[in-house]
Amino acid sequence: MHTRTLAELAAALRDGEFSSEELVGHFLDRIEALDAGLNAFVTVTREEALRAARLADSARAEGQAGPLTGLPIAHKDIFCTRGVKTSCGSRMLDNFVSPYDATVVARLKAAGVVMLGKTNMDEFAMGSSNETSWYGPVRNPWGHDKVPGGSSGGSAAAVAARMAPAATGTDTGGSIRQPAAFTNTTGLKPTYGRVSRYGMIAFASSLDQAGTITASAEDAAMLLGAMAGHDPRDSTSAEVPVPDYLAALETPLSGIRIGVVKEFFDEGLDSDNAAAVGKALEVLRGLGASVEEVSLPNLGLSVPTYYVVAPAECSSNLSRFDGIRFGYRAEDPKDLTDLYKRSRGEGFGAEVKRRIMTGTYVLSAGYYDAYYLKAQRVRQLIAGDFHRAFENADLIVGPTTPTPAFDIGAKVDDPVTMYLNDIYTIGVNLAGLPGISVPCGFVDGLPVGLQIIGTHFDEGRLLNAAHMYQSETDWHRRVPSGMLPESG
Ligand code: GLN
């Protein structure tokens, strides 16, 4: 069962090949068998999942099933889930049981989706390797000594190892697309405002966006249709109608103009990665798309700009975790100041502290204009670059990451090298655009991702191009060896 896509599992449920209870039980058993070696889950909600699956089966028996009814997925542990621990990968929230569901969770639940559990992640979504989690690193199913990417590394590893057919993720600077590239999964980061952020623990509010990690673009289309749309509880969620993403998947690509970003292929890109992306471009051309070069001249400024804007916003968002209003509380404080200091000192890990300090610095009087305001201006320049590139292209395509997955431990002590991992993804967040990473090959047994970027709210075309590419290729079908054989 587990090698099938969500769409195939939906069809099997519809045809009565197996029940949701059997399906959910199968994935729960896989988590039990495989997760000890991968550490992709923080919490597994076995009993709740089986109960929800039985309810889904009853709904189906009564003719009440929708397209997603009874399908299991995992949620990144950044989404609030009612009655279930929501840790955000941090000691700060290790004992937090959310009293409500995030909109993403609520909408999927209302569509009949069954939650298998909550996935491991970089602490407060800050990281590119899943090594900053309070719960320890996640291992890449394609090589246990490799990182799965971050921050949605638990979700990506869970889907790659087929412990869940699909998972949610969030992407502030690449956290869906980069782990998808590292694990041979399909990672969709929608347009900023496409999916509600209500109940999604905030990192950098002007960049954060919820999306999916799946086995195919079709699966992403299925889930996005249920997740997307205006939410009065998130003032930045857009009042833009949600199209039928599935209906547009097979639209021919003839006449589509693809822009290949010149700067993406400058130094820093692994040559084998570049070759895999080059082959993918040939496939897209074969599907009828025209391919031309475009330029994003300010691309080199995107990482430094992000590392001013994101820390600034996070320093503000994370100020609520003070041991009194929210979060871990240190024991036996001497006085109030000691309580604040030790609660935050003990509750947050090193990377989060680094970001809070950077953010506080760039927002402080005297430095605000020099750093924060300047970064906001450069952000506009980067958005303008994309805008101009889209005058000559319907989609922008390039690699998702400069290299395949790296070794666990290789970059943890070198933040700048770690930050540069996101060079191809961060600009997309700064401009608020949608992007998707799809598997496009392997280098030394490790997956490589192709990134497709679209204009605002054009997820339909992104999914269409990704789906057409996947109907011509089978990279996304490959699963890592060492997974248990198919059963049931
Ligand atoms: N890797 C980037 C960072 O560390 C992006 C993280 C994300 O998208 N949540 O901030």
PDB file of all heavy atoms in Angstrom, residues 76 122 124-129 150-152 170-176 178 203 208 306-307 310 351 355 418-419 422 426 429, ligand 1:
ATOM      1  N   LYS A  76       3.456  18.623  10.339  1.00  0.00           N
ATOM      2  CA  LYS A  76       4.659  19.211  10.948  1.00  0.00           C
ATOM      3  C   LYS A  76       4.285  19.710  12.337  1.00  0.00           C
ATOM      4  O   LYS A  76       3.199  20.282  12.521  1.00  0.00           O
ATOM      5  CB  LYS A  76       5.155  20.362  10.064  1.00  0.00           C
ATOM      6  CG  LYS A  76       6.466  20.996  10.521  1.00  0.00           C
ATOM      7  CD  LYS A  76       6.937  22.056   9.522  1.00  0.00           C
ATOM      8  CE  LYS A  76       8.257  22.687   9.936  1.00  0.00           C
ATOM      9  NZ  LYS A  76       8.742  23.690   8.959  1.00  0.00           N
ATOM     10  N   ASP A 122      13.281  21.475  12.588  1.00  0.00           N
ATOM     11  CA  ASP A 122      14.238  22.375  13.217  1.00  0.00           C
ATOM     12  C   ASP A 122      13.495  23.244  14.226  1.00  0.00           C
ATOM     13  O   ASP A 122      12.328  23.604  14.025  1.00  0.00           O
ATOM     14  CB  ASP A 122      14.900  23.276  12.161  1.00  0.00           C
ATOM     15  CG  ASP A 122      16.056  22.583  11.460  1.00  0.00           C
ATOM     16  OD1 ASP A 122      17.000  22.183  12.154  1.00  0.00           O
ATOM     17  OD2 ASP A 122      15.997  22.441  10.225  1.00  0.00           O
ATOM     18  N   PHE A 124      11.656  25.848  16.033  1.00  0.00           N
ATOM     19  CA  PHE A 124      10.915  27.015  15.541  1.00  0.00           C
ATOM     20  C   PHE A 124      11.121  27.239  14.036  1.00  0.00           C
ATOM     21  O   PHE A 124      11.071  28.363  13.548  1.00  0.00           O
ATOM     22  CB  PHE A 124      11.245  28.280  16.342  1.00  0.00           C
ATOM     23  CG  PHE A 124      10.556  28.287  17.683  1.00  0.00           C
ATOM     24  CD1 PHE A 124      11.247  27.958  18.840  1.00  0.00           C
ATOM     25  CD2 PHE A 124       9.200  28.579  17.798  1.00  0.00           C
ATOM     26  CE1 PHE A 124      10.611  27.932  20.078  1.00  0.00           C
ATOM     27  CE2 PHE A 124       8.554  28.545  19.030  1.00  0.00           C
ATOM     28  CZ  PHE A 124       9.254  28.226  20.167  1.00  0.00           C
ATOM     29  N   ALA A 125      11.389  26.150  13.325  1.00  0.00           N
ATOM     30  CA  ALA A 125      11.554  26.164  11.862  1.00  0.00           C
ATOM     31  C   ALA A 125      12.807  26.900  11.410  1.00  0.00           C
ATOM     32  O   ALA A 125      12.897  27.355  10.279  1.00  0.00           O
ATOM     33  CB  ALA A 125      10.310  26.717  11.155  1.00  0.00           C
ATOM     34  N   MET A 126      13.785  27.033  12.309  1.00  0.00           N
ATOM     35  CA  MET A 126      15.020  27.729  11.965  1.00  0.00           C
ATOM     36  C   MET A 126      16.110  26.709  11.690  1.00  0.00           C
ATOM     37  O   MET A 126      16.682  26.135  12.616  1.00  0.00           O
ATOM     38  CB  MET A 126      15.436  28.651  13.114  1.00  0.00           C
ATOM     39  CG  MET A 126      14.390  29.715  13.380  1.00  0.00           C
ATOM     40  SD  MET A 126      14.787  30.675  14.837  1.00  0.00           S
ATOM     41  CE  MET A 126      13.183  31.400  15.160  1.00  0.00           C
ATOM     42  N   GLY A 127      16.369  26.487  10.414  1.00  0.00           N
ATOM     43  CA  GLY A 127      17.420  25.552  10.057  1.00  0.00           C
ATOM     44  C   GLY A 127      17.205  24.990   8.674  1.00  0.00           C
ATOM     45  O   GLY A 127      16.144  25.157   8.071  1.00  0.00           O
ATOM     46  N   SER A 128      18.241  24.327   8.169  1.00  0.00           N
ATOM     47  CA  SER A 128      18.187  23.737   6.833  1.00  0.00           C
ATOM     48  C   SER A 128      18.607  22.277   6.883  1.00  0.00           C
ATOM     49  O   SER A 128      18.923  21.684   5.866  1.00  0.00           O
ATOM     50  CB  SER A 128      19.150  24.472   5.899  1.00  0.00           C
ATOM     51  OG  SER A 128      18.905  25.856   5.927  1.00  0.00           O
ATOM     52  N   SER A 129      18.626  21.695   8.080  1.00  0.00           N
ATOM     53  CA  SER A 129      19.160  20.334   8.189  1.00  0.00           C
ATOM     54  C   SER A 129      18.465  19.489   9.234  1.00  0.00           C
ATOM     55  O   SER A 129      18.812  18.331   9.412  1.00  0.00           O
ATOM     56  CB  SER A 129      20.648  20.411   8.531  1.00  0.00           C
ATOM     57  OG  SER A 129      20.807  20.980   9.824  1.00  0.00           O
ATOM     58  N   GLY A 150      15.877  20.826   6.017  1.00  0.00           N
ATOM     59  CA  GLY A 150      15.048  21.408   7.078  1.00  0.00           C
ATOM     60  C   GLY A 150      14.389  22.673   6.578  1.00  0.00           C
ATOM     61  O   GLY A 150      14.682  23.122   5.477  1.00  0.00           O
ATOM     62  N   SER A 151      13.469  23.222   7.307  1.00  0.00           N
ATOM     63  CA  SER A 151      13.143  22.746   8.628  1.00  0.00           C
ATOM     64  C   SER A 151      12.090  21.640   8.653  1.00  0.00           C
ATOM     65  O   SER A 151      11.927  20.994   9.682  1.00  0.00           O
ATOM     66  CB  SER A 151      12.656  23.926   9.482  1.00  0.00           C
ATOM     67  OG  SER A 151      11.441  24.438   8.963  1.00  0.00           O
ATOM     68  N   SER A 152      11.396  21.406   7.519  1.00  0.00           N
ATOM     69  CA  SER A 152      10.363  20.366   7.536  1.00  0.00           C
ATOM     70  C   SER A 152      10.976  18.991   7.267  1.00  0.00           C
ATOM     71  O   SER A 152      10.421  18.184   6.510  1.00  0.00           O
ATOM     72  CB  SER A 152       9.287  20.668   6.483  1.00  0.00           C
ATOM     73  OG  SER A 152       8.840  21.997   6.557  1.00  0.00           O
ATOM     74  N   THR A 170       6.024  23.765   6.429  1.00  0.00           N
ATOM     75  CA  THR A 170       5.973  25.224   6.293  1.00  0.00           C
ATOM     76  C   THR A 170       7.289  25.673   5.678  1.00  0.00           C
ATOM     77  O   THR A 170       8.312  24.995   5.807  1.00  0.00           O
ATOM     78  CB  THR A 170       5.785  25.946   7.647  1.00  0.00           C
ATOM     79  OG1 THR A 170       6.886  25.627   8.506  1.00  0.00           O
ATOM     80  CG2 THR A 170       4.479  25.545   8.300  1.00  0.00           C
ATOM     81  N   ASP A 171       7.232  26.812   4.998  1.00  0.00           N
ATOM     82  CA  ASP A 171       8.368  27.276   4.220  1.00  0.00           C
ATOM     83  C   ASP A 171       8.497  28.785   4.414  1.00  0.00           C
ATOM     84  O   ASP A 171       7.637  29.551   3.989  1.00  0.00           O
ATOM     85  CB  ASP A 171       8.115  26.911   2.742  1.00  0.00           C
ATOM     86  CG  ASP A 171       9.324  27.095   1.843  1.00  0.00           C
ATOM     87  OD1 ASP A 171       9.957  28.154   1.933  1.00  0.00           O
ATOM     88  OD2 ASP A 171       9.599  26.188   1.031  1.00  0.00           O
ATOM     89  N   THR A 172       9.574  29.186   5.094  1.00  0.00           N
ATOM     90  CA  THR A 172       9.842  30.599   5.364  1.00  0.00           C
ATOM     91  C   THR A 172      10.965  31.089   4.455  1.00  0.00           C
ATOM     92  O   THR A 172      11.016  32.256   4.082  1.00  0.00           O
ATOM     93  CB  THR A 172      10.233  30.748   6.858  1.00  0.00           C
ATOM     94  OG1 THR A 172       9.182  30.206   7.649  1.00  0.00           O
ATOM     95  CG2 THR A 172      10.459  32.193   7.257  1.00  0.00           C
ATOM     96  N   GLY A 173      11.863  30.133   4.128  1.00  0.00           N
ATOM     97  CA  GLY A 173      12.989  30.478   3.250  1.00  0.00           C
ATOM     98  C   GLY A 173      13.395  29.282   2.400  1.00  0.00           C
ATOM     99  O   GLY A 173      14.417  29.305   1.723  1.00  0.00           O
ATOM    100  N   GLY A 174      12.610  28.215   2.488  1.00  0.00           N
ATOM    101  CA  GLY A 174      12.941  27.015   1.708  1.00  0.00           C
ATOM    102  C   GLY A 174      12.593  25.717   2.411  1.00  0.00           C
ATOM    103  O   GLY A 174      12.857  24.630   1.900  1.00  0.00           O
ATOM    104  N   SER A 175      11.998  25.828   3.574  1.00  0.00           N
ATOM    105  CA  SER A 175      11.828  24.669   4.455  1.00  0.00           C
ATOM    106  C   SER A 175      10.898  23.565   3.970  1.00  0.00           C
ATOM    107  O   SER A 175      10.836  22.513   4.603  1.00  0.00           O
ATOM    108  CB  SER A 175      11.339  25.120   5.828  1.00  0.00           C
ATOM    109  OG  SER A 175      12.432  25.542   6.588  1.00  0.00           O
ATOM    110  N   ILE A 176      10.186  23.791   2.880  1.00  0.00           N
ATOM    111  CA  ILE A 176       9.444  22.681   2.266  1.00  0.00           C
ATOM    112  C   ILE A 176      10.241  22.179   1.065  1.00  0.00           C
ATOM    113  O   ILE A 176      10.469  20.980   0.892  1.00  0.00           O
ATOM    114  CB  ILE A 176       8.040  23.135   1.815  1.00  0.00           C
ATOM    115  CG1 ILE A 176       7.133  23.346   3.034  1.00  0.00           C
ATOM    116  CG2 ILE A 176       7.432  22.116   0.843  1.00  0.00           C
ATOM    117  CD1 ILE A 176       5.756  23.886   2.711  1.00  0.00           C
ATOM    118  N   GLN A 178      13.494  22.615   0.085  1.00  0.00           N
ATOM    119  CA  GLN A 178      14.837  22.054   0.273  1.00  0.00           C
ATOM    120  C   GLN A 178      14.777  20.627   0.832  1.00  0.00           C
ATOM    121  O   GLN A 178      15.419  19.728   0.284  1.00  0.00           O
ATOM    122  CB  GLN A 178      15.668  23.024   1.135  1.00  0.00           C
ATOM    123  CG  GLN A 178      17.120  22.627   1.322  1.00  0.00           C
ATOM    124  CD  GLN A 178      17.376  22.129   2.735  1.00  0.00           C
ATOM    125  OE1 GLN A 178      16.460  21.714   3.426  1.00  0.00           O
ATOM    126  NE2 GLN A 178      18.638  22.157   3.154  1.00  0.00           N
ATOM    127  N   PHE A 203       7.243  32.088  12.860  1.00  0.00           N
ATOM    128  CA  PHE A 203       8.693  32.306  12.838  1.00  0.00           C
ATOM    129  C   PHE A 203       8.894  33.719  12.287  1.00  0.00           C
ATOM    130  O   PHE A 203       9.181  34.642  13.045  1.00  0.00           O
ATOM    131  CB  PHE A 203       9.332  31.184  12.014  1.00  0.00           C
ATOM    132  CG  PHE A 203      10.734  31.425  11.502  1.00  0.00           C
ATOM    133  CD1 PHE A 203      11.536  32.459  11.965  1.00  0.00           C
ATOM    134  CD2 PHE A 203      11.278  30.558  10.552  1.00  0.00           C
ATOM    135  CE1 PHE A 203      12.828  32.648  11.484  1.00  0.00           C
ATOM    136  CE2 PHE A 203      12.571  30.743  10.066  1.00  0.00           C
ATOM    137  CZ  PHE A 203      13.339  31.787  10.516  1.00  0.00           C
ATOM    138  N   ASP A 208       6.403  33.298   6.297  1.00  0.00           N
ATOM    139  CA  ASP A 208       5.900  31.945   6.585  1.00  0.00           C
ATOM    140  C   ASP A 208       4.737  31.571   5.671  1.00  0.00           C
ATOM    141  O   ASP A 208       3.824  32.364   5.463  1.00  0.00           O
ATOM    142  CB  ASP A 208       5.355  31.852   8.024  1.00  0.00           C
ATOM    143  CG  ASP A 208       6.392  32.079   9.104  1.00  0.00           C
ATOM    144  OD1 ASP A 208       7.588  31.988   8.820  1.00  0.00           O
ATOM    145  OD2 ASP A 208       5.976  32.335  10.266  1.00  0.00           O
ATOM    146  N   TYR A 306      17.364  38.131   3.763  1.00  0.00           N
ATOM    147  CA  TYR A 306      16.544  37.227   4.585  1.00  0.00           C
ATOM    148  C   TYR A 306      17.061  37.166   6.020  1.00  0.00           C
ATOM    149  O   TYR A 306      16.279  37.160   6.968  1.00  0.00           O
ATOM    150  CB  TYR A 306      16.567  35.841   3.940  1.00  0.00           C
ATOM    151  CG  TYR A 306      15.907  34.749   4.746  1.00  0.00           C
ATOM    152  CD1 TYR A 306      14.552  34.472   4.578  1.00  0.00           C
ATOM    153  CD2 TYR A 306      16.632  33.984   5.652  1.00  0.00           C
ATOM    154  CE1 TYR A 306      13.939  33.458   5.307  1.00  0.00           C
ATOM    155  CE2 TYR A 306      16.027  32.967   6.379  1.00  0.00           C
ATOM    156  CZ  TYR A 306      14.681  32.703   6.208  1.00  0.00           C
ATOM    157  OH  TYR A 306      14.086  31.698   6.929  1.00  0.00           O
ATOM    158  N   TYR A 307      18.400  37.132   6.161  1.00  0.00           N
ATOM    159  CA  TYR A 307      18.955  36.996   7.508  1.00  0.00           C
ATOM    160  C   TYR A 307      18.980  38.310   8.288  1.00  0.00           C
ATOM    161  O   TYR A 307      19.556  38.376   9.360  1.00  0.00           O
ATOM    162  CB  TYR A 307      20.308  36.268   7.480  1.00  0.00           C
ATOM    163  CG  TYR A 307      20.028  34.785   7.382  1.00  0.00           C
ATOM    164  CD1 TYR A 307      20.067  34.113   6.161  1.00  0.00           C
ATOM    165  CD2 TYR A 307      19.597  34.069   8.499  1.00  0.00           C
ATOM    166  CE1 TYR A 307      19.731  32.779   6.067  1.00  0.00           C
ATOM    167  CE2 TYR A 307      19.261  32.732   8.410  1.00  0.00           C
ATOM    168  CZ  TYR A 307      19.327  32.091   7.197  1.00  0.00           C
ATOM    169  OH  TYR A 307      18.970  30.768   7.111  1.00  0.00           O
ATOM    170  N   ALA A 310      14.143  37.948   8.543  1.00  0.00           N
ATOM    171  CA  ALA A 310      13.603  36.812   9.304  1.00  0.00           C
ATOM    172  C   ALA A 310      13.976  36.885  10.792  1.00  0.00           C
ATOM    173  O   ALA A 310      13.101  36.744  11.653  1.00  0.00           O
ATOM    174  CB  ALA A 310      14.038  35.486   8.671  1.00  0.00           C
ATOM    175  N   GLU A 351      20.633  27.991  17.906  1.00  0.00           N
ATOM    176  CA  GLU A 351      20.306  28.675  16.650  1.00  0.00           C
ATOM    177  C   GLU A 351      19.199  29.704  16.873  1.00  0.00           C
ATOM    178  O   GLU A 351      19.252  30.824  16.346  1.00  0.00           O
ATOM    179  CB  GLU A 351      19.904  27.658  15.568  1.00  0.00           C
ATOM    180  CG  GLU A 351      19.605  28.261  14.194  1.00  0.00           C
ATOM    181  CD  GLU A 351      20.793  29.006  13.583  1.00  0.00           C
ATOM    182  OE1 GLU A 351      21.951  28.673  13.891  1.00  0.00           O
ATOM    183  OE2 GLU A 351      20.548  29.941  12.788  1.00  0.00           O
ATOM    184  N   ARG A 355      19.397  33.825  16.279  1.00  0.00           N
ATOM    185  CA  ARG A 355      18.449  34.612  15.474  1.00  0.00           C
ATOM    186  C   ARG A 355      17.820  35.729  16.310  1.00  0.00           C
ATOM    187  O   ARG A 355      17.626  36.839  15.828  1.00  0.00           O
ATOM    188  CB  ARG A 355      17.345  33.722  14.933  1.00  0.00           C
ATOM    189  CG  ARG A 355      17.822  32.491  14.195  1.00  0.00           C
ATOM    190  CD  ARG A 355      17.996  32.723  12.716  1.00  0.00           C
ATOM    191  NE  ARG A 355      18.473  31.514  12.075  1.00  0.00           N
ATOM    192  CZ  ARG A 355      17.841  30.878  11.098  1.00  0.00           C
ATOM    193  NH1 ARG A 355      16.695  31.337  10.644  1.00  0.00           N
ATOM    194  NH2 ARG A 355      18.361  29.805  10.555  1.00  0.00           N
ATOM    195  N   MET A 418      25.680  27.007   6.230  1.00  0.00           N
ATOM    196  CA  MET A 418      24.346  26.428   6.343  1.00  0.00           C
ATOM    197  C   MET A 418      23.320  27.350   5.673  1.00  0.00           C
ATOM    198  O   MET A 418      22.481  26.902   4.906  1.00  0.00           O
ATOM    199  CB  MET A 418      24.004  26.253   7.832  1.00  0.00           C
ATOM    200  CG  MET A 418      22.707  25.554   8.094  1.00  0.00           C
ATOM    201  SD  MET A 418      22.796  23.800   7.711  1.00  0.00           S
ATOM    202  CE  MET A 418      23.190  23.122   9.309  1.00  0.00           C
ATOM    203  N   TYR A 419      23.426  28.650   5.932  1.00  0.00           N
ATOM    204  CA  TYR A 419      22.450  29.604   5.388  1.00  0.00           C
ATOM    205  C   TYR A 419      22.488  29.623   3.854  1.00  0.00           C
ATOM    206  O   TYR A 419      21.467  29.814   3.204  1.00  0.00           O
ATOM    207  CB  TYR A 419      22.705  31.020   5.920  1.00  0.00           C
ATOM    208  CG  TYR A 419      22.530  31.199   7.427  1.00  0.00           C
ATOM    209  CD1 TYR A 419      22.946  32.373   8.064  1.00  0.00           C
ATOM    210  CD2 TYR A 419      21.944  30.218   8.215  1.00  0.00           C
ATOM    211  CE1 TYR A 419      22.795  32.555   9.435  1.00  0.00           C
ATOM    212  CE2 TYR A 419      21.798  30.395   9.596  1.00  0.00           C
ATOM    213  CZ  TYR A 419      22.231  31.561  10.198  1.00  0.00           C
ATOM    214  OH  TYR A 419      22.080  31.738  11.548  1.00  0.00           O
ATOM    215  N   ASP A 422      20.170  27.812   1.111  1.00  0.00           N
ATOM    216  CA  ASP A 422      18.844  28.263   0.682  1.00  0.00           C
ATOM    217  C   ASP A 422      18.919  29.343  -0.382  1.00  0.00           C
ATOM    218  O   ASP A 422      17.945  30.044  -0.634  1.00  0.00           O
ATOM    219  CB  ASP A 422      18.057  28.771   1.896  1.00  0.00           C
ATOM    220  CG  ASP A 422      17.828  27.675   2.923  1.00  0.00           C
ATOM    221  OD1 ASP A 422      17.503  26.555   2.503  1.00  0.00           O
ATOM    222  OD2 ASP A 422      17.985  27.930   4.121  1.00  0.00           O
ATOM    223  N   ILE A 426      15.225  31.150  -1.042  1.00  0.00           N
ATOM    224  CA  ILE A 426      14.863  32.282  -0.180  1.00  0.00           C
ATOM    225  C   ILE A 426      14.239  33.452  -0.930  1.00  0.00           C
ATOM    226  O   ILE A 426      13.279  34.069  -0.449  1.00  0.00           O
ATOM    227  CB  ILE A 426      16.117  32.729   0.624  1.00  0.00           C
ATOM    228  CG1 ILE A 426      16.201  31.907   1.919  1.00  0.00           C
ATOM    229  CG2 ILE A 426      16.109  34.206   0.918  1.00  0.00           C
ATOM    230  CD1 ILE A 426      17.395  32.202   2.787  1.00  0.00           C
ATOM    231  N   ASN A 429      10.497  33.369  -1.229  1.00  0.00           N
ATOM    232  CA  ASN A 429       9.744  33.800  -0.050  1.00  0.00           C
ATOM    233  C   ASN A 429       9.763  35.319   0.077  1.00  0.00           C
ATOM    234  O   ASN A 429       8.748  35.930   0.425  1.00  0.00           O
ATOM    235  CB  ASN A 429      10.341  33.198   1.223  1.00  0.00           C
ATOM    236  CG  ASN A 429      10.305  31.685   1.210  1.00  0.00           C
ATOM    237  OD1 ASN A 429      11.048  31.063   0.464  1.00  0.00           O
ATOM    238  ND2 ASN A 429       9.422  31.094   1.992  1.00  0.00           N
TER     239      ASN A 429
HETATM  240  N1  GLN B   1      16.686  27.443   6.286  1.00  0.00           N
HETATM  241  C1  GLN B   1      16.045  28.708   6.440  1.00  0.00           C
HETATM  242  C2  GLN B   1      16.261  29.204   7.845  1.00  0.00           C
HETATM  243  O1  GLN B   1      17.010  28.604   8.519  1.00  0.00           O
HETATM  244  C3  GLN B   1      14.600  28.602   6.100  1.00  0.00           C
HETATM  245  C4  GLN B   1      13.795  27.985   7.172  1.00  0.00           C
HETATM  246  C5  GLN B   1      12.352  27.900   6.831  1.00  0.00           C
HETATM  247  O2  GLN B   1      11.962  28.005   5.670  1.00  0.00           O
HETATM  248  N2  GLN B   1      11.543  27.744   7.864  1.00  0.00           N
HETATM  249  O3  GLN B   1      15.699  30.146   8.274  1.00  0.00           O
END
